[in-house]
Amino acid sequence: AAIMNTWKLENALDLTNMNTAKKFAFTVAFVLIIVHGIRIYNKGGDTCSNLLSRGHLAADKKWQPEGCMLHKYSKMETRKCLTGRTFTFVGDSRQRQLYFKLVKTISVLPVKEGKQHEDIVYKEDDTGISVHFLWYPMVNVSMENVFREWKGGKKPKPSIIIAGSGAWTIKQMNASGKAMQEYRANLTRLKPVMEDVAMETDVYWMLQDPVNNTQLSKERKMITNTQIDSYNDVAMEILEGGHVGVLRSTHQVASALLEVSTDGLHLGEPALNNHLSLLLNLYCNDKLRPIDGSCCQRFQPPSLLQVGTGVFFGLCMVGAVLFSVTSGFRSRTPSMSEDTETAQNQKKTKPPAEIAKSALVAFAKFGVIMAYFYLCDRTPLFMKENKHYTHLQFFVPFVWVLIVGLFFHADTKQTSILSRDQTDEWKGWMQLVILIYHYTGASSYIPIYMHIRILVAMYLFQTGYGHFFYFWMKGDYGIVRLCQVNFRLNFLVVFLCMVMDRPYQFYYFVPLVTFWFFVVYGTMAVLPRVTAKSSGDNSSGFVLMMLKLLALCGIIALLASMQVLFESLFSWWPAVELFQLDGSIREWWFRWQLDRFAVAYGMFFAFTYLGLKKLQIIDDSFHGNLFTPCVTYLIVTLSVCITLGYTIFMTTCESKVECNRLHPYISFLPITSFILVRNVPGYLRSRYSTFFAWFGKISLELFIGQYHIWLAADTKGILVVLPGFHTLNMLITSFIFVCIAHEISAVTGTLANILVPRDFRTVLQRLLLFVLFLGLVLLYGHFEDRLQLF
């Protein structure tokens, strides 16, 4: 126990060198790419077979096909998919159930289930939506004639046909062996007709769902699951291998939800919802192409911008290789005649060729990483699955991460409030909690959702606090500082926008912190400027800074009260191209106003802290308590009570809208409480978690990288590299993901030093080049529909 208590994270990292870990992660990723590439080469990338036949019922009673995602279709989306199309069900009363479920989903008026044992038609003249139910409960000549009429053109072919029969035959023929023989003969005769129709339209045969024998009425007792399985075996034997698709998954869904059947024969509501979801994803995914509906969705060819970005990275890789080869021939040892001064200058300043090589190598590494991003989330190479939230899935990793983070701790030499070690730790544990939140899909649970909102507000608080502190102490408002910060924030996202073909606002957190950085910069830089050096002992400087902060809060409050004015400020080109999402500014407005006071509060907190230090009210230059033991105990107790009160209050919220309305005005309470608990007691302020701090150093890369290489479908799902082994799959993808985030951070640092040097003229020239490049990219985005490569 004594050995474990003295174990530090640095020792663990020394034993498992990060470079070695990244090489191992690269090897694992490469092997996975090869294995899945072989799988697709042998079996094809069609995920429809998984949707039709393989999957399991998740903990939230929703069906999860193996390796692909189901989109939850809304009424509007369903109507859009079926506009001008005909959806036809052929079969018995269980097919009629599905018919009414679909009609109720798309109809804007109430639907009554009045008709039985006859054909039913739902039609909308204005939209062209048409849903038919054809009452053919048995596979016989009547059903065959319907398909022959479609084949011969006597009746227009539906857009999709869902047929199924068997249970009615068992009932009518009292489960006799002769009935089974007739079913086989009739289905064998029907198959070639169905195949001909399936050449021109989508035709699927739905296997018979099982029954709950304990609920069946006397008249239906002869319908047993043994009989159902025998009829399904016949159907699969005859129909599989042709153009008619066989829906096995509906049978699996009904088997898993058999206890909620209404009468033992017909489906309960949960099974009906899953059946309809399967059918809509089967038919609509490739037409509407929802990002979280990967089942039955064909590969989307790359855009012109994606191809151009790939060419750029390819050239960087070639250049890096050529430089590495040629540098070996050009290298030479300095001669003894070179004087000492020349040798020292060469050490201080790298030659241009060496700088170019470093940049090309960094871009080549980054290009390999971007290729992995693309393969993970823009191709069918790896599988993807939906998130299925349960409390257990969220809280088990949450507690585990908390224990590990507390276990790895160390003393810090930094004694100040919100020191660098402490803020890294703060960002680290927040980022890990946010990752767990996104991976488990916990946003559906309002109390967790609101606590994550507090974590986002804490990030923004740190933005205001950190940048205010820097500008106040340093007084550096130059263009070099401006470019350095924005390069660090936006480098990864700019390239992801091009590689993943997503708008800038999609990665909402980076536009948010970039915007607020400019707000802090503008507030501090606007004349008259006030810094620690200029204010000195003069109180007028502090008064002026306070007036600036009050003016900033007033402007924020004004914009928050006038949504139309706010949106008009970002509706002009090219700003609209940066801040719109799906053709609207509303998402940007929502994100901005949700934490609108967090950055200003961070600035105010930093200003107050510096003022109290200047007045010698607090002294954090040592490791002891900031106040007397009695006051310290009182502050900590009050802060804990406020945090617990906030948690309890959040459990009473009935909707996210209600909670979000209050959030901007009360988020400062848990933020302040955390800072006081963490900093007032000297014992806590003088220690930090090395585990959390390590992750805090790469928190930005973790937050953005999770979108595509840990999660999938733009955060809507989960990346699956090892299907059937959920925990092992999570460990493998997490390991690769963290190693990539660390490498991105290193590459960003390398390129920032090269591309944003401290020379004003060089930075200005490169800034102008970037603005020109950005303008061209935004113009491409504006006219993208007219510039398709394929």
Side-chain angles (χ1 to χ4, degrees):
I3 294 174
M4 292 179 68
N5 286 332
T6 57
W7 185 263
K8 307 301 181 190
L9 181 62
E10 289 85 357
N11 297 337
L13 291 177
D14 287 340
L15 293 174
T16 308
N17 184 273
M18 199 60 211
N19 289 330
T20 303
K22 286 189 277 193
K23 290 175 183 177
F24 182 66
F26 175 82
T27 303
V28 173
F30 183 75
V31 170
L32 289 172
I33 290 171
I34 296 299
V35 170
H36 282 275
I38 294 173
R39 173 184 62 83
I40 290 180
Y41 179 79
N42 291 333
K43 299 182 179 180
D46 181 23
T47 53
C48 272
S49 58
N50 293 357
L51 176 65
L52 292 172
S53 60
R54 290 186 295 276
H56 65 274
L57 194 69
D60 57 357
K61 303 299 182 184
K62 294 179 181 177
W63 187 252
Q64 175 59 65
E66 183 182 294
C68 68
M69 296 175 62
L70 292 178
H71 176 67
K72 185 179 180 180
Y73 278 92
S74 64
K75 180 187 289 288
M76 184 174 66
E77 289 174 322
T78 306
R79 289 177 62 83
K80 181 180 179 181
C81 172
L82 298 184
T83 296
R85 297 183 173 95
T86 302
F87 209 111
T88 299
F89 296 91
V90 181
D92 55 18
S93 57
R94 295 202 274 192
Q95 296 282 21
R96 186 175 63 234
Q97 263 195 301
L98 279 172
Y99 163 84
F100 278 116
K101 183 65 180 177
L102 176 58
V103 170
K104 288 178 181 178
T105 300
I106 61 177
S107 177
V108 294
L109 298 173
V111 177
K112 294 182 179 180
E113 299 185 29
K115 298 180 179 181
Q116 292 184 359
H117 300 180
E118 61 180 275
D119 297 348
I120 315 173
V121 177
Y122 173 86
K123 193 171 184 179
E124 295 181 4
D125 294 331
D126 54 339
T127 62
I129 296 176
S130 182
V131 185
H132 294 246
F133 167 69
L134 305 182
W135 172 253
Y136 291 101
M138 301 174 67
V139 181
N140 53 23
V141 175
S142 298
M143 183 182 286
E144 182 182 340
N145 289 336
V146 171
F147 278 91
R148 289 194 180 279
E149 288 177 346
W150 284 328
K151 175 187 174 182
K154 293 181 180 179
K155 289 184 178 179
K157 295 181 182 67
S159 305
I160 181 172
I161 301 168
I162 307 295
S165 177
W168 189 268
T169 301
I170 297 172
K171 178 188 174 185
Q172 293 297 103
M173 306 296 287
N174 200 27
S176 66
K178 183 180 178 181
M180 173 73 73
Q181 295 173 2
E182 290 182 1
Y183 181 82
R184 178 186 291 275
N186 291 337
L187 191 57
T188 301
R189 189 169 58 251
L190 177 61
K191 178 187 176 180
V193 187
M194 292 176 65
E195 287 287 334
D196 290 340
V197 176
M199 294 291 289
E200 300 180 25
T201 193
D202 296 333
V203 180
Y204 295 95
W205 185 268
M206 184 179 290
L207 296 184
Q208 292 296 285
D209 295 330
V211 296
N212 189 338
N213 298 97
T214 60
Q215 290 182 285
L216 288 175
S217 62
K218 277 187 178 182
E219 296 78 12
R220 296 170 175 167
K221 283 294 185 182
M222 72 290 295
I223 307 175
T224 65
N225 286 326
T226 302
Q227 287 283 326
I228 291 288
D229 291 341
S230 298
Y231 276 70
N232 285 339
D233 289 342
V234 170
M236 288 187 290
E237 177 188 335
I238 295 172
L239 296 177
E240 281 191 331
H243 293 96
V244 177
V246 178
L247 262 167
R248 294 185 183 185
S249 50
T250 50
H251 175 84
Q252 298 168 13
V253 171
S255 298
L257 295 170
L258 203 56
E259 71 278 0
V260 293
S261 174
T262 55
D263 55 8
L265 176 67
H266 296 98
L267 300 173
E269 195 64 21
L272 269 178
N273 290 334
N274 279 293
H275 277 45
L276 183 62
S277 177
L278 286 167
L279 295 180
L280 290 177
N281 279 267
L282 182 67
Y283 182 69
C284 297
N285 280 0
D286 201 45
K287 296 173 176 59
L288 300 188
R289 304 194 64 83
I291 190 64
D292 60 340
S294 61
C295 296
C296 295
Q297 192 174 142
R298 286 174 290 185
F299 170 65
Q300 181 77 13
S303 66
L304 178 62
L305 185 59
Q306 288 172 309
V307 172
T309 308
V311 170
F312 167 76
F313 283 126
L315 293 174
C316 288
M317 293 176 193
V318 172
V321 171
L322 291 177
F323 260 105
S324 299
V325 172
T326 57
S327 61
F329 295 102
R330 294 181 180 179
S331 62
R332 63 184 181 89
T333 304
S335 64
M336 296 297 294
S337 61
E338 293 176 332
D339 57 27
T340 305
E341 183 179 356
T342 303
Q344 290 177 348
N345 289 336
Q346 288 178 343
K347 289 181 180 179
K348 291 180 180 180
T349 305
K350 285 186 178 181
E354 188 66 25
I355 294 175
K357 177 187 173 182
S358 299
L360 286 172
V361 169
F363 270 118
K365 290 180 180 179
F366 192 67
V368 172
I369 293 172
M370 289 294 99
Y372 183 72
F373 271 77
Y374 184 82
L375 290 174
C376 284
D377 212 18
R378 288 297 178 269
T379 71
L381 179 67
F382 294 124
M383 299 178 179
K384 304 170 182 66
E385 290 187 355
N386 296 88
K387 304 174 187 178
H388 301 281
Y389 173 75
T390 63
H391 291 327
L392 193 65
Q393 286 181 333
F394 176 82
F395 286 105
V396 167
F398 173 79
V399 172
W400 183 85
V401 165
L402 180 64
I403 292 172
V404 173
L406 294 176
F407 177 76
F408 290 110
H409 65 273
D411 295 332
T412 178
K413 296 178 181 179
Q414 304 164 6
T415 62
S416 61
I417 293 175
L418 293 179
S419 62
R420 180 60 182 269
D421 286 338
Q422 192 181 134
T423 54
D424 282 341
E425 173 204 88
W426 192 3
K427 288 188 289 185
W429 70 257
M430 287 194 299
Q431 185 55 61
L432 290 175
V433 173
I434 290 174
L435 289 176
I436 296 170
Y437 165 82
H438 283 154
Y439 196 86
T440 57
S443 61
S444 58
Y445 186 56
I446 293 179
I448 294 179
Y449 166 81
M450 290 310 302
H451 281 79
I452 298 301
R453 291 257 51 88
I454 289 295
L455 300 190
V456 175
M458 285 177 169
Y459 265 109
L460 294 174
F461 170 90
Q462 286 197 42
T463 296
Y465 179 90
H467 291 310
F468 180 93
F469 201 101
Y470 177 87
F471 288 130
W472 178 266
M473 300 303 295
K474 301 291 185 180
D476 178 10
Y477 300 103
I479 194 172
V480 174
R481 172 66 180 176
L482 199 69
C483 292
Q484 285 175 337
V485 172
N486 280 283
F487 186 93
R488 176 73 177 82
L489 290 175
N490 289 276
F491 173 73
L492 173 59
V493 166
V494 167
F495 276 99
L496 280 180
C497 289
M498 296 187 291
V499 172
M500 307 308 290
D501 195 22
R502 283 292 173 263
Y504 181 61
Q505 183 57 36
F506 173 76
Y507 305 95
Y508 75 92
F509 186 73
V510 169
L512 200 59
V513 293
T514 301
F515 171 82
W516 283 115
F517 166 74
F518 277 105
V519 169
V520 176
Y521 178 86
T523 304
M524 301 289 287
V526 67
L527 298 175
R529 294 175 181 171
V530 184
T531 63
K533 184 177 180 180
S534 65
S535 61
D537 296 327
N538 188 358
S539 61
S540 61
F542 283 86
V543 173
L544 181 58
M545 193 68 247
M546 179 59 72
L547 291 175
K548 281 189 172 186
L549 292 177
L550 290 175
L552 173 62
C553 291
I555 294 171
I556 292 172
L558 177 66
L559 291 175
S561 65
M562 303 176 67
Q563 182 177 349
V564 175
L565 173 61
F566 177 89
E567 292 183 2
S568 67
L569 294 176
F570 297 93
S571 297
W572 49 275
W573 196 90
V576 68
E577 297 291 338
L578 292 174
F579 293 101
Q580 71 175 355
L581 187 65
D582 298 327
S584 173
I585 301 291
R586 295 298 173 88
E587 179 69 15
W588 168 236
W589 154 258
F590 170 75
R591 297 292 182 183
W592 175 86
Q593 60 86 30
L594 200 55
D595 296 296
R596 55 186 178 270
F597 295 116
V599 172
Y601 180 59
M603 298 172 68
F604 175 78
F605 190 93
F607 177 69
T608 304
Y609 163 64
L610 292 168
L612 292 176
K613 282 194 67 173
K614 189 176 184 63
L615 296 173
Q616 298 183 348
I617 296 176
I618 60 173
D619 181 11
D620 58 356
S621 61
F622 63 103
H623 284 174
N625 296 339
L626 293 181
F627 305 102
T628 63
C630 182
V631 174
T632 297
Y633 178 79
L634 181 63
I635 290 175
V636 171
T637 303
L638 183 61
S639 298
V640 171
C641 289
I642 289 174
T643 303
L644 290 176
Y646 175 85
T647 298
I648 294 170
F649 177 71
M650 283 302 105
T651 61
T652 65
C653 275
E654 297 181 356
S655 68
K656 289 182 180 180
V657 174
E658 177 188 343
C659 293
N660 287 338
R661 190 180 298 115
L662 295 171
H663 172 75
Y665 305 105
I666 63 175
S667 61
F668 76 94
L669 292 173
I671 294 174
T672 308
S673 298
F674 171 79
I675 295 173
L676 293 177
V677 170
R678 190 67 182 81
N679 288 274
V680 171
Y683 176 81
L684 295 179
R685 195 175 73 257
S686 60
R687 289 167 176 80
Y688 76 108
S689 168
T690 52
F691 178 80
F692 289 142
W694 188 87
F695 283 97
K697 290 180 173 65
I698 57 172
S699 59
L700 181 65
E701 290 77 15
L702 289 171
F703 190 92
I704 302 304
Q706 65 170 320
Y707 278 59
H708 304 294
I709 60 172
W710 194 52
L711 305 175
D714 295 348
T715 75
K716 303 292 185 182
I718 296 170
L719 183 68
V720 177
V721 298
L722 199 64
F725 301 91
H726 179 78
T727 302
L728 186 57
N729 176 79
M730 181 185 67
L731 292 174
I732 293 173
T733 56
S734 299
F735 173 67
I736 297 173
F737 162 53
V738 171
C739 288
I740 286 178
H742 191 276
E743 184 63 21
I744 291 174
S745 178
V747 168
T748 303
T750 299
L751 290 173
N753 292 331
I754 295 173
L755 299 179
V756 191
R758 295 190 176 275
D759 180 63
F760 171 79
R761 178 175 294 182
T762 303
V763 170
L764 183 61
Q765 291 173 347
R766 291 175 182 176
L767 177 62
L768 293 175
L769 287 175
F770 173 76
V771 170
L772 178 61
F773 167 76
L774 180 63
L776 293 174
V777 172
L778 294 179
L779 281 172
Y780 168 81
H782 188 70
F783 297 104
E784 183 177 7
D785 293 338
R786 307 176 193 178
L787 297 171
Q788 292 298 321
L789 182 64
F790 297 99

